[in-house]
Amino acid sequence: VIIVSVWQGIGYYTLIMVAALQSIPTPLFEAARLDNASKLQVFFRITLPLISPQLFFVLIIMTIGSFKVFDTVKIMTGGGPNDATNTLVYYIYGFRTTNIGYASATGVVLMAIIALLTLLYFRLLSRKIHYQ
């Protein structure tokens, strides 16, 4: 299930990262080359800081997407043997007809978990993001 989920989203995230890498001005790399900067220095001091907003966006979108995995589990395993591949969204789906109140309460808990993780990402990583 993990392999299929990664394969499903890799194109979108690759497109974002390629666009981020292409948006870096080439004179910065030329200046680093003139200053005899190593490839590691160029990566950690130029490339990584300039693509950090896109990396941050991808991190948040991937976190939210990992909690929303439903279709892959439903099609591939149906929850798996002994609920081994059961996710929170699939758990909510199981109560869609029998106990709607419980399903909606679990949905609110899912929203709170995602909001808490996103807030945590913003608190911990917002100082490391370099906006141009």
Tab-separated table of all heavy atoms in Angstrom, residues 51-101:
chain	number	residue	atom	x	y	z
A	51	ILE	N	15.078	26.459	-2.109
A	51	ILE	CA	13.924	25.596	-2.385
A	51	ILE	C	13.199	25.218	-1.086
A	51	ILE	O	12.287	24.396	-1.108
A	51	ILE	CB	14.307	24.329	-3.173
A	51	ILE	CG1	15.233	23.432	-2.370
A	51	ILE	CG2	14.885	24.669	-4.525
A	51	ILE	CD1	15.439	22.062	-2.990
A	52	SER	N	13.588	25.806	0.029
A	52	SER	CA	12.957	25.459	1.306
A	52	SER	C	11.452	25.756	1.360
A	52	SER	O	10.717	24.971	1.966
A	52	SER	CB	13.684	26.123	2.463
A	52	SER	OG	13.648	27.512	2.367
A	53	PRO	N	10.928	26.827	0.750
A	53	PRO	CA	9.459	26.990	0.783
A	53	PRO	C	8.727	25.863	0.070
A	53	PRO	O	7.690	25.385	0.549
A	53	PRO	CB	9.224	28.323	0.064
A	53	PRO	CG	10.499	29.047	0.187
A	53	PRO	CD	11.569	28.009	0.173
A	54	GLN	N	9.279	25.397	-1.045
A	54	GLN	CA	8.640	24.297	-1.767
A	54	GLN	C	8.759	22.991	-0.985
A	54	GLN	O	7.825	22.187	-0.958
A	54	GLN	CB	9.241	24.150	-3.164
A	54	GLN	CG	8.878	25.268	-4.099
A	54	GLN	CD	9.784	26.494	-3.949
A	54	GLN	OE1	10.726	26.513	-3.177
A	54	GLN	NE2	9.478	27.529	-4.709
A	55	LEU	N	9.902	22.773	-0.345
A	55	LEU	CA	10.057	21.580	0.483
A	55	LEU	C	9.064	21.585	1.646
A	55	LEU	O	8.480	20.550	1.984
A	55	LEU	CB	11.481	21.489	1.030
A	55	LEU	CG	12.552	21.031	0.067
A	55	LEU	CD1	13.927	21.187	0.702
A	55	LEU	CD2	12.327	19.599	-0.347
A	56	PHE	N	8.862	22.743	2.231
A	56	PHE	CA	7.914	22.887	3.335
A	56	PHE	C	6.493	22.595	2.859
A	56	PHE	O	5.730	21.883	3.526
A	56	PHE	CB	8.032	24.292	3.920
A	56	PHE	CG	7.211	24.524	5.134
A	56	PHE	CD1	7.446	23.821	6.296
A	56	PHE	CD2	6.193	25.469	5.130
A	56	PHE	CE1	6.687	24.035	7.438
A	56	PHE	CE2	5.438	25.695	6.255
A	56	PHE	CZ	5.685	24.977	7.410
A	57	PHE	N	6.135	23.119	1.704
A	57	PHE	CA	4.815	22.868	1.125
A	57	PHE	C	4.613	21.376	0.858
A	57	PHE	O	3.573	20.806	1.202
A	57	PHE	CB	4.651	23.671	-0.166
A	57	PHE	CG	3.419	23.341	-0.937
A	57	PHE	CD1	2.181	23.765	-0.510
A	57	PHE	CD2	3.499	22.587	-2.098
A	57	PHE	CE1	1.039	23.454	-1.219
A	57	PHE	CE2	2.360	22.273	-2.817
A	57	PHE	CZ	1.129	22.704	-2.375
A	58	VAL	N	5.615	20.735	0.267
A	58	VAL	CA	5.515	19.311	-0.034
A	58	VAL	C	5.408	18.493	1.250
A	58	VAL	O	4.651	17.526	1.317
A	58	VAL	CB	6.715	18.856	-0.909
A	58	VAL	CG1	6.829	17.349	-0.968
A	58	VAL	CG2	6.587	19.424	-2.308
A	59	LEU	N	6.143	18.885	2.287
A	59	LEU	CA	6.069	18.180	3.565
A	59	LEU	C	4.652	18.229	4.140
A	59	LEU	O	4.109	17.200	4.569
A	59	LEU	CB	7.056	18.785	4.559
A	59	LEU	CG	6.988	18.242	5.983
A	59	LEU	CD1	7.513	16.820	6.027
A	59	LEU	CD2	7.760	19.136	6.920
A	60	ILE	N	4.044	19.387	4.122
A	60	ILE	CA	2.690	19.523	4.677
A	60	ILE	C	1.675	18.769	3.821
A	60	ILE	O	0.819	18.050	4.347
A	60	ILE	CB	2.317	21.005	4.824
A	60	ILE	CG1	3.146	21.618	5.935
A	60	ILE	CG2	0.828	21.175	5.113
A	60	ILE	CD1	2.940	23.075	6.154
A	61	ILE	N	1.778	18.895	2.506
A	61	ILE	CA	0.835	18.206	1.622
A	61	ILE	C	0.985	16.692	1.725
A	61	ILE	O	-0.008	15.956	1.730
A	61	ILE	CB	1.023	18.695	0.167
A	61	ILE	CG1	0.657	20.160	0.056
A	61	ILE	CG2	0.212	17.862	-0.805
A	61	ILE	CD1	-0.770	20.467	0.431
A	62	MET	N	2.220	16.202	1.851
A	62	MET	CA	2.424	14.759	1.996
A	62	MET	C	1.896	14.253	3.338
A	62	MET	O	1.358	13.144	3.415
A	62	MET	CB	3.906	14.417	1.856
A	62	MET	CG	4.408	14.482	0.431
A	62	MET	SD	6.146	14.083	0.298
A	62	MET	CE	6.096	12.327	0.483
A	63	THR	N	2.033	15.040	4.381
A	63	THR	CA	1.504	14.636	5.683
A	63	THR	C	-0.012	14.538	5.640
A	63	THR	O	-0.596	13.550	6.112
A	63	THR	CB	1.935	15.635	6.770
A	63	THR	OG1	3.362	15.707	6.801
A	63	THR	CG2	1.419	15.230	8.123
A	64	ILE	N	-0.646	15.538	5.080
A	64	ILE	CA	-2.110	15.514	4.961
A	64	ILE	C	-2.544	14.350	4.069
A	64	ILE	O	-3.496	13.633	4.385
A	64	ILE	CB	-2.629	16.859	4.433
A	64	ILE	CG1	-2.381	17.957	5.471
A	64	ILE	CG2	-4.114	16.783	4.081
A	64	ILE	CD1	-2.647	19.353	4.963
A	65	GLY	N	-1.835	14.148	2.965
A	65	GLY	CA	-2.172	13.058	2.048
A	65	GLY	C	-2.003	11.685	2.665
A	65	GLY	O	-2.757	10.752	2.363
A	66	SER	N	-1.019	11.544	3.546
A	66	SER	CA	-0.817	10.239	4.174
A	66	SER	C	-1.960	9.884	5.129
A	66	SER	O	-2.265	8.709	5.327
A	66	SER	CB	0.519	10.213	4.914
A	66	SER	OG	0.486	11.083	6.018
A	67	PHE	N	-2.579	10.893	5.710
A	67	PHE	CA	-3.733	10.625	6.571
A	67	PHE	C	-5.002	10.376	5.757
A	67	PHE	O	-5.950	9.791	6.279
A	67	PHE	CB	-3.971	11.796	7.532
A	67	PHE	CG	-3.107	11.739	8.748
A	67	PHE	CD1	-1.966	12.502	8.828
A	67	PHE	CD2	-3.440	10.918	9.805
A	67	PHE	CE1	-1.166	12.455	9.949
A	67	PHE	CE2	-2.651	10.855	10.934
A	67	PHE	CZ	-1.503	11.631	11.001
A	68	LYS	N	-5.037	10.825	4.515
A	68	LYS	CA	-6.242	10.699	3.704
A	68	LYS	C	-6.266	9.439	2.847
A	68	LYS	O	-7.140	9.291	2.003
A	68	LYS	CB	-6.377	11.910	2.778
A	68	LYS	CG	-6.668	13.185	3.494
A	68	LYS	CD	-6.994	14.332	2.571
A	68	LYS	CE	-6.384	14.232	1.213
A	68	LYS	NZ	-6.736	15.298	0.317
A	69	VAL	N	-5.325	8.536	3.024
A	69	VAL	CA	-5.275	7.333	2.182
A	69	VAL	C	-6.525	6.499	2.428
A	69	VAL	O	-6.769	6.036	3.534
A	69	VAL	CB	-4.004	6.501	2.484
A	69	VAL	CG1	-4.049	5.182	1.750
A	69	VAL	CG2	-2.773	7.272	2.093
A	70	PHE	N	-7.323	6.393	1.401
A	70	PHE	CA	-8.534	5.576	1.494
A	70	PHE	C	-8.672	4.671	0.280
A	70	PHE	O	-8.854	3.464	0.421
A	70	PHE	CB	-9.780	6.456	1.611
A	70	PHE	CG	-11.059	5.688	1.462
A	70	PHE	CD1	-11.529	4.915	2.506
A	70	PHE	CD2	-11.769	5.709	0.281
A	70	PHE	CE1	-12.697	4.177	2.371
A	70	PHE	CE2	-12.940	4.981	0.140
A	70	PHE	CZ	-13.395	4.222	1.184
A	71	ASP	N	-8.590	5.258	-0.898
A	71	ASP	CA	-8.875	4.505	-2.112
A	71	ASP	C	-7.904	3.349	-2.315
A	71	ASP	O	-8.311	2.255	-2.714
A	71	ASP	CB	-8.884	5.432	-3.325
A	71	ASP	CG	-7.620	6.272	-3.437
A	71	ASP	OD1	-6.825	6.289	-2.483
A	71	ASP	OD2	-7.438	6.926	-4.489
A	72	THR	N	-6.638	3.562	-2.014
A	72	THR	CA	-5.653	2.499	-2.190
A	72	THR	C	-5.942	1.338	-1.248
A	72	THR	O	-5.881	0.175	-1.648
A	72	THR	CB	-4.235	3.051	-1.932
A	72	THR	OG1	-4.045	4.231	-2.699
A	72	THR	CG2	-3.186	2.037	-2.290
A	73	VAL	N	-6.279	1.646	-0.013
A	73	VAL	CA	-6.592	0.596	0.959
A	73	VAL	C	-7.874	-0.125	0.563
A	73	VAL	O	-7.951	-1.355	0.626
A	73	VAL	CB	-6.708	1.192	2.378
A	73	VAL	CG1	-7.213	0.165	3.369
A	73	VAL	CG2	-5.377	1.750	2.831
A	74	LYS	N	-8.879	0.609	0.130
A	74	LYS	CA	-10.168	0.006	-0.236
A	74	LYS	C	-10.008	-0.945	-1.420
A	74	LYS	O	-10.544	-2.058	-1.401
A	74	LYS	CB	-11.171	1.115	-0.570
A	74	LYS	CG	-12.502	0.639	-1.072
A	74	LYS	CD	-13.326	0.052	0.028
A	74	LYS	CE	-14.713	-0.274	-0.503
A	74	LYS	NZ	-15.344	-1.312	0.263
A	75	ILE	N	-9.261	-0.521	-2.431
A	75	ILE	CA	-9.115	-1.338	-3.637
A	75	ILE	C	-8.168	-2.511	-3.422
A	75	ILE	O	-8.451	-3.631	-3.828
A	75	ILE	CB	-8.624	-0.463	-4.819
A	75	ILE	CG1	-9.631	0.629	-5.143
A	75	ILE	CG2	-8.318	-1.304	-6.042
A	75	ILE	CD1	-10.975	0.133	-5.580
A	76	MET	N	-7.033	-2.253	-2.774
A	76	MET	CA	-6.007	-3.296	-2.687
A	76	MET	C	-6.290	-4.346	-1.616
A	76	MET	O	-6.131	-5.540	-1.863
A	76	MET	CB	-4.633	-2.663	-2.421
A	76	MET	CG	-4.090	-1.920	-3.609
A	76	MET	SD	-2.449	-1.266	-3.296
A	76	MET	CE	-1.494	-2.753	-3.174
A	77	THR	N	-6.651	-3.912	-0.412
A	77	THR	CA	-6.726	-4.876	0.684
A	77	THR	C	-8.066	-4.900	1.389
A	77	THR	O	-8.342	-5.850	2.120
A	77	THR	CB	-5.645	-4.567	1.737
A	77	THR	OG1	-5.908	-3.295	2.307
A	77	THR	CG2	-4.261	-4.597	1.129
A	78	GLY	N	-8.867	-3.851	1.254
A	78	GLY	CA	-10.129	-3.794	1.970
A	78	GLY	C	-9.943	-3.758	3.480
A	78	GLY	O	-10.778	-4.232	4.226
A	79	GLY	N	-8.846	-3.191	3.930
A	79	GLY	CA	-8.560	-3.157	5.360
A	79	GLY	C	-7.524	-4.189	5.762
A	79	GLY	O	-6.951	-4.119	6.830
A	80	GLY	N	-7.310	-5.136	4.891
A	80	GLY	CA	-6.242	-6.105	5.116
A	80	GLY	C	-6.619	-7.228	6.049
A	80	GLY	O	-7.677	-7.215	6.670
A	81	PRO	N	-5.746	-8.193	6.147
A	81	PRO	CA	-6.000	-9.282	7.088
A	81	PRO	C	-5.915	-8.779	8.525
A	81	PRO	O	-4.932	-8.156	8.913
A	81	PRO	CB	-4.884	-10.290	6.782
A	81	PRO	CG	-3.815	-9.497	6.101
A	81	PRO	CD	-4.508	-8.365	5.410
A	82	ASN	N	-6.957	-8.992	9.272
A	82	ASN	CA	-7.037	-8.550	10.678
A	82	ASN	C	-6.813	-7.049	10.823
A	82	ASN	O	-6.144	-6.600	11.754
A	82	ASN	CB	-6.045	-9.316	11.548
A	82	ASN	CG	-6.365	-10.781	11.623
A	82	ASN	OD1	-7.538	-11.158	11.556
A	82	ASN	ND2	-5.357	-11.610	11.756
A	83	ASP	N	-7.341	-6.263	9.899
A	83	ASP	CA	-7.236	-4.803	9.911
A	83	ASP	C	-5.795	-4.302	9.910
A	83	ASP	O	-5.485	-3.260	10.490
A	83	ASP	CB	-7.988	-4.204	11.108
A	83	ASP	CG	-9.482	-4.434	11.008
A	83	ASP	OD1	-9.986	-4.523	9.862
A	83	ASP	OD2	-10.144	-4.509	12.050
A	84	ALA	N	-4.903	-5.019	9.261
A	84	ALA	CA	-3.483	-4.634	9.248
A	84	ALA	C	-3.248	-3.363	8.449
A	84	ALA	O	-2.334	-2.602	8.760
A	84	ALA	CB	-2.634	-5.768	8.681
A	85	THR	N	-4.031	-3.112	7.409
A	85	THR	CA	-3.846	-1.908	6.594
A	85	THR	C	-4.979	-0.911	6.800
A	85	THR	O	-5.195	-0.048	5.960
A	85	THR	CB	-3.749	-2.273	5.101
A	85	THR	OG1	-4.937	-2.956	4.714
A	85	THR	CG2	-2.534	-3.122	4.809
A	86	ASN	N	-5.656	-1.011	7.893
A	86	ASN	CA	-6.757	-0.104	8.183
A	86	ASN	C	-6.209	1.281	8.533
A	86	ASN	O	-5.306	1.405	9.343
A	86	ASN	CB	-7.575	-0.657	9.356
A	86	ASN	CG	-8.968	-0.112	9.386
A	86	ASN	OD1	-9.346	0.714	8.568
A	86	ASN	ND2	-9.742	-0.574	10.346
A	87	THR	N	-6.734	2.306	7.891
A	87	THR	CA	-6.329	3.675	8.187
A	87	THR	C	-7.480	4.381	8.900
A	87	THR	O	-8.586	3.853	8.986
A	87	THR	CB	-5.977	4.440	6.907
A	87	THR	OG1	-7.136	4.504	6.071
A	87	THR	CG2	-4.835	3.787	6.155
A	88	LEU	N	-7.223	5.577	9.376
A	88	LEU	CA	-8.258	6.304	10.114
A	88	LEU	C	-9.439	6.660	9.205
A	88	LEU	O	-10.598	6.582	9.615
A	88	LEU	CB	-7.660	7.563	10.746
A	88	LEU	CG	-8.486	8.271	11.804
A	88	LEU	CD1	-8.902	7.307	12.901
A	88	LEU	CD2	-7.705	9.411	12.403
A	89	VAL	N	-9.163	7.012	7.964
A	89	VAL	CA	-10.244	7.345	7.028
A	89	VAL	C	-11.048	6.091	6.689
A	89	VAL	O	-12.277	6.140	6.597
A	89	VAL	CB	-9.674	8.016	5.761
A	89	VAL	CG1	-10.760	8.259	4.738
A	89	VAL	CG2	-8.969	9.299	6.112
A	90	TYR	N	-10.371	4.962	6.537
A	90	TYR	CA	-11.084	3.711	6.267
A	90	TYR	C	-11.891	3.293	7.497
A	90	TYR	O	-12.971	2.711	7.379
A	90	TYR	CB	-10.101	2.617	5.863
A	90	TYR	CG	-10.770	1.423	5.243
A	90	TYR	CD1	-11.254	1.477	3.946
A	90	TYR	CD2	-10.937	0.251	5.950
A	90	TYR	CE1	-11.882	0.391	3.371
A	90	TYR	CE2	-11.564	-0.841	5.392
A	90	TYR	CZ	-12.032	-0.766	4.103
A	90	TYR	OH	-12.672	-1.829	3.534
A	91	TYR	N	-11.398	3.595	8.674
A	91	TYR	CA	-12.124	3.336	9.918
A	91	TYR	C	-13.403	4.166	9.968
A	91	TYR	O	-14.458	3.673	10.361
A	91	TYR	CB	-11.202	3.659	11.096
A	91	TYR	CG	-11.772	3.373	12.449
A	91	TYR	CD1	-11.875	2.076	12.921
A	91	TYR	CD2	-12.185	4.417	13.265
A	91	TYR	CE1	-12.388	1.812	14.184
A	91	TYR	CE2	-12.697	4.165	14.531
A	91	TYR	CZ	-12.794	2.865	14.978
A	91	TYR	OH	-13.301	2.611	16.216
A	92	ILE	N	-13.305	5.424	9.565
A	92	ILE	CA	-14.490	6.289	9.492
A	92	ILE	C	-15.480	5.733	8.477
A	92	ILE	O	-16.695	5.718	8.708
A	92	ILE	CB	-14.081	7.729	9.142
A	92	ILE	CG1	-13.274	8.344	10.290
A	92	ILE	CG2	-15.290	8.597	8.824
A	92	ILE	CD1	-12.610	9.649	9.932
A	93	TYR	N	-14.974	5.245	7.356
A	93	TYR	CA	-15.815	4.676	6.310
A	93	TYR	C	-16.598	3.460	6.829
A	93	TYR	O	-17.743	3.237	6.427
A	93	TYR	CB	-14.941	4.277	5.121
A	93	TYR	CG	-15.660	3.569	4.013
A	93	TYR	CD1	-16.495	4.260	3.132
A	93	TYR	CD2	-15.514	2.197	3.824
A	93	TYR	CE1	-17.150	3.609	2.114
A	93	TYR	CE2	-16.164	1.536	2.806
A	93	TYR	CZ	-16.979	2.250	1.958
A	93	TYR	OH	-17.633	1.602	0.946
A	94	GLY	N	-16.005	2.710	7.739
A	94	GLY	CA	-16.674	1.536	8.286
A	94	GLY	C	-17.919	1.873	9.090
A	94	GLY	O	-18.835	1.064	9.203
A	95	PHE	N	-17.977	3.080	9.642
A	95	PHE	CA	-19.126	3.491	10.448
A	95	PHE	C	-20.086	4.402	9.686
A	95	PHE	O	-20.928	5.054	10.290
A	95	PHE	CB	-18.647	4.225	11.707
A	95	PHE	CG	-18.014	3.326	12.716
A	95	PHE	CD1	-16.640	3.311	12.866
A	95	PHE	CD2	-18.789	2.486	13.487
A	95	PHE	CE1	-16.051	2.481	13.798
A	95	PHE	CE2	-18.208	1.649	14.422
A	95	PHE	CZ	-16.831	1.643	14.566
A	96	ARG	N	-19.991	4.453	8.371
A	96	ARG	CA	-20.786	5.403	7.581
A	96	ARG	C	-22.281	5.145	7.671
A	96	ARG	O	-23.073	6.065	7.528
A	96	ARG	CB	-20.327	5.387	6.127
A	96	ARG	CG	-20.728	4.148	5.381
A	96	ARG	CD	-20.070	4.036	4.024
A	96	ARG	NE	-20.509	2.877	3.307
A	96	ARG	CZ	-20.115	1.640	3.546
A	96	ARG	NH1	-19.278	1.397	4.529
A	96	ARG	NH2	-20.570	0.632	2.838
A	97	THR	N	-22.702	3.921	7.895
A	97	THR	CA	-24.141	3.632	7.944
A	97	THR	C	-24.619	3.243	9.330
A	97	THR	O	-25.777	3.463	9.667
A	97	THR	CB	-24.491	2.486	6.969
A	97	THR	OG1	-23.693	1.350	7.298
A	97	THR	CG2	-24.246	2.896	5.540
A	98	THR	N	-23.743	2.670	10.141
A	98	THR	CA	-24.199	2.165	11.437
A	98	THR	C	-24.174	3.223	12.524
A	98	THR	O	-25.075	3.265	13.357
A	98	THR	CB	-23.326	0.970	11.880
A	98	THR	OG1	-21.959	1.397	11.930
A	98	THR	CG2	-23.471	-0.181	10.905
A	99	ASN	N	-23.168	4.070	12.547
A	99	ASN	CA	-23.040	5.040	13.623
A	99	ASN	C	-22.434	6.329	13.060
A	99	ASN	O	-21.229	6.565	13.166
A	99	ASN	CB	-22.171	4.466	14.742
A	99	ASN	CG	-22.329	5.217	16.031
A	99	ASN	OD1	-22.889	6.316	16.052
A	99	ASN	ND2	-21.832	4.641	17.110
A	100	ILE	N	-23.275	7.157	12.491
A	100	ILE	CA	-22.810	8.364	11.815
A	100	ILE	C	-22.197	9.354	12.802
A	100	ILE	O	-21.218	10.027	12.500
A	100	ILE	CB	-23.963	9.004	11.017
A	100	ILE	CG1	-24.399	8.064	9.908
A	100	ILE	CG2	-23.532	10.339	10.429
A	100	ILE	CD1	-25.614	8.503	9.162
A	101	GLY	N	-22.720	9.440	13.989
A	101	GLY	CA	-22.176	10.342	14.996
A	101	GLY	C	-20.760	9.962	15.384
A	101	GLY	O	-19.880	10.817	15.531
